[in-house]
DNA sequence: AATGTTTTCAACCGCACAGGA
DNA sequence: ATCCTGTGCGGTTGAAAACAT
């Protein structure tokens, strides 16, 4: 997935690095350090520009650089930090040991943002097209359902944690119903919502998904805890994709209902939540008996 | 199996900034 | 104050890999 090597008009090699080049750069930097990136390639015997050497070292050869899939914790941290810092990849990377800004940037663009745009890979298989992208007024940060982490692992509400269990969120309280599809009274109520918004979306917006009636949006604003970094809202759409929404993404599409919250109730079925590992859920889990 | 499409990610590019002359 | 150089950052590219048809 790399440009093939070539030599530009200045005689500098570009494109993919060979093992020999990697070895030369690694050996030189480990022995002498990178005292001057511009001059380094000359002394290291590389026909590369200094920038290319630096990039290769920082993103690939530097000891401790972590490669491969992001863990759940890392992904949650990236989302959290991006909410706080925006596209400050280097600042975000500083909080993820072993991860480079470039890798985080790639991760964001290929996984997180793509989901936010409502166009994860699997949607193609479900018949979605580019036209399904949410409009800028209703951007959602959509999480797929990672198969390797189940709801029961996340919440451990009970051993079965059946896919039909319900988590009800009602006005300013959180109630968890572990009685499967019965819809009976909740077993516990956690007053963890500082302010609850129940979604009312203009689905005529291009790319908006019309939720099923029983899958109306659940939205809450900030948790009442001091952790302002929690995602500001959770919702899902008719395509079974759970989403995080931050106020930045609301864009006026959602209508606050806090002043008239007497009857509206939203819930997330645990079937939809399977594998969702957001810190928000961690918080819920923390609050449960 | 062949072909087309999408996703991934290493690498490049241009710009901004800091520090020194 | 201005210019120059080196470095770092963020956006973008493009070919390979993965996936779908």
């Amino acid at each position: 997935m790399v440009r093939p090597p070539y030599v530009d008009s200045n005689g500098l090699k570009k494109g993919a690095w060979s093992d020999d080049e990697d070895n030369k750069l690694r050996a030189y930097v480990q022995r002498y350090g990178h005292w001057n990136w511009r001059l380094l390639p000359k002394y290291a015997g590389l026909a590369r520009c200094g920038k290319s050497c630096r990039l290769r070292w920082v993103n690939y050869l530097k000891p401790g650089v972590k490669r491969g899939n992001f863990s759940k914790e890392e992904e949650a941290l990236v989302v959290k930090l991006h909410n706080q810092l925006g596209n400050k990849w280097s600042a975000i990377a500083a909080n993820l040991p072993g991860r480079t800004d470039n890798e985080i940037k790639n991760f964001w663009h290929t996984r997180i943002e793509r989901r936010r745009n409502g166009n994860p890979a699997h949607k193609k298989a479900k018949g979605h097209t580019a036209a399904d992208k949410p409009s800028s007024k209703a951007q959602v940060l959509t999480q797929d359902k990672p198969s390797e982490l189940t709801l029961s692992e996340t919440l451990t509400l009970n051993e079965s944690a059946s896919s039909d269990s319900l988590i009800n969120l009602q006005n300013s309280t959180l109630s968890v119903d572990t009685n499967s599809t019965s819809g009976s009274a909740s077993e516990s109520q956690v007053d963890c919502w500082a302010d609850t918004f129940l979604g009312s979306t203009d689905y005529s917006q291009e790319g908006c998904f019309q939720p099923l009636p029983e899958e109306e949006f659940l939205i809450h604003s900030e948790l009442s805890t001091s952790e302002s970094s929690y995602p500001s809202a959770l919702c899902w759409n008719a395509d079974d994709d759970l989403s995080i929404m931050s106020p930045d993404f609301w864009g006026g599409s959602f209508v606050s209902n806090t002043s008239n919250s007497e009857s509206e109730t939203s819930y997330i079925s645990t079937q939809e939540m399977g594998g969702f590992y957001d810190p928000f859920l961690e918080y819920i889990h923390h609050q449960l008996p």
Side-chain angles (χ1 to χ4, degrees), chain A residues 13 262 283:
Chain A
K13 193 174 176 186
E262 68 278 7
Y283 181 79

Side-chain angles (χ1 to χ4, degrees), chain A residues 141 143 169 193 197 216-221 231-236 242-246 250 254 266 268 273 276 278 280-281 284:
Chain A
L141 178 57
Q143 300 287 337
L169 289 151
W193 309 108
F197 292 79
E216 188 49 85
F217 283 109
L218 153 75
I219 302 174
H220 72 90
S221 62
S232 300
L234 288 177
C235 66
W236 67 88
L242 273 165
S243 306
I244 307 170
M245 303 188 73
S246 82
W250 291 9
F254 290 87
S266 297
I268 300 173
M273 294 188 79
F276 196 57
D278 187 85
F280 161 56
L281 289 186
I284 294 175

Side-chain angles (χ1 to χ4, degrees), chain A residues 112-218:
Chain A
I112 308 291
E113 195 164 52
R114 188 177 299 277
R115 292 174 198 164
R116 192 179 75 188
N117 289 334
N119 191 29
H122 72 82
K123 285 192 172 180
K124 183 166 175 281
K126 292 183 178 182
H128 284 258
T129 67
D132 291 327
K133 281 187 175 181
S135 71
S136 60
K137 287 188 175 181
Q139 294 177 70
V140 292
L141 178 57
T142 305
Q143 300 287 337
D144 293 335
K145 291 171 284 187
S147 58
E148 59 271 33
L149 184 61
T150 65
L151 174 72
S152 58
E153 289 166 338
T154 306
L155 295 179
T156 58
L157 296 175
N158 58 35
E159 283 302 308
S160 59
S162 85
S163 61
D164 294 316
S165 296
L166 299 177
I167 292 179
N168 294 326
L169 289 151
Q170 195 164 14
N171 301 330
S172 293
T173 61
L174 166 70
S175 56
V176 179
D177 185 354
T178 59
N179 289 328
S180 192
T181 56
S182 67
S184 62
S186 60
E187 290 182 340
S188 65
Q189 291 198 325
V190 184
D191 187 10
C192 66
W193 309 108
D195 195 5
T196 299
F197 292 79
L198 295 173
S200 175
T201 307
D202 177 8
Y203 298 114
S204 66
Q205 296 279 343
E206 181 187 358
C208 285
F209 297 102
Q210 173 67 61
L212 299 173
E214 68 275 19
E215 293 181 346
E216 188 49 85
F217 283 109
L218 153 75

Side-chain angles (χ1 to χ4, degrees), chain A residues 5-15 47-49:
Chain A
Y6 65 96
V7 178
D8 72 4
S9 57
N10 297 319
L12 292 175
K13 193 174 176 186
K14 298 199 170 185
R48 296 268 181 176
C49 69

